[in-house]
Amino acid sequence: MIGYVTLGTANLAKSSAFYDVLLGTIGAGRFMEEPDYFIAWAKAPGEASIAVSVPFNKEPASVGNGTMVAVALDTPEQVDSFYAKALELGGTCEGKPGFRPEDASSGFYAGYFRDLDGNKLNAFCIVADS
């Protein structure tokens, strides 16, 4: 249902370097870009993508309160690795990986972080028979 998500950035070069490495860990690569304006990554053209962009109106990029992008993965180990890579690249922790709620009855496993511009993301998976 979701085609793409665009996150504002104050520094396209730093942001793109962060996402090149982070999204590369799950097989996503650049598939569309316009110099000095935006870059989009996906696993394949036509699939859901994440983009970073300098705001079109030339105003400062800002973080939406309550806005979050969730990256779907297959296993808790992938979530742990993706989350760790985000922090290694300079992202900040917003909630270590684990089950939410902590009793694991929902099977929802996620780790939360912010990118270099302060945008909030999470990596998650649904664990069957939890």
Side-chain angles (χ1 to χ4, degrees), residues 3 8 27 38 49 96 124:
F38 87 99
S49 66
K96 292 181 181 180
F124 81 97

Side-chain angles (χ1 to χ4, degrees), residues 49-127:
S49 66
I50 295 175
V52 292
S53 179
V54 174
F56 181 76
N57 65 5
K58 308 295 186 216
E59 296 293 321
S62 62
V63 177
N65 186 26
T67 302
M68 181 173 60
V69 175
V71 178
L73 299 173
D74 295 322
T75 67
E77 293 77 18
Q78 288 176 329
V79 170
D80 294 347
S81 178
F82 194 78
Y83 168 87
K85 179 59 75 172
L87 298 188
E88 177 185 313
L89 294 169
T92 57
C93 175
E94 282 289 313
K96 292 181 181 180
F99 285 101
R100 310 294 197 279
E102 291 159 357
D103 67 7
S105 63
S106 69
F108 183 80
Y109 187 91
Y112 299 83
F113 61 94
R114 290 192 184 268
D115 71 6
L116 304 178
D117 288 289
N119 295 298
K120 187 174 181 180
L121 294 92
N122 84 21
F124 81 97
C125 68
I126 304 298
V127 180

Side-chain angles (χ1 to χ4, degrees), residues 20-34:
D20 280 340
V21 175
L22 182 62
L23 296 175
T25 68
I26 60 170
R30 292 183 187 196
F31 81 99
M32 185 184 298
E33 60 186 288
E34 185 174 328

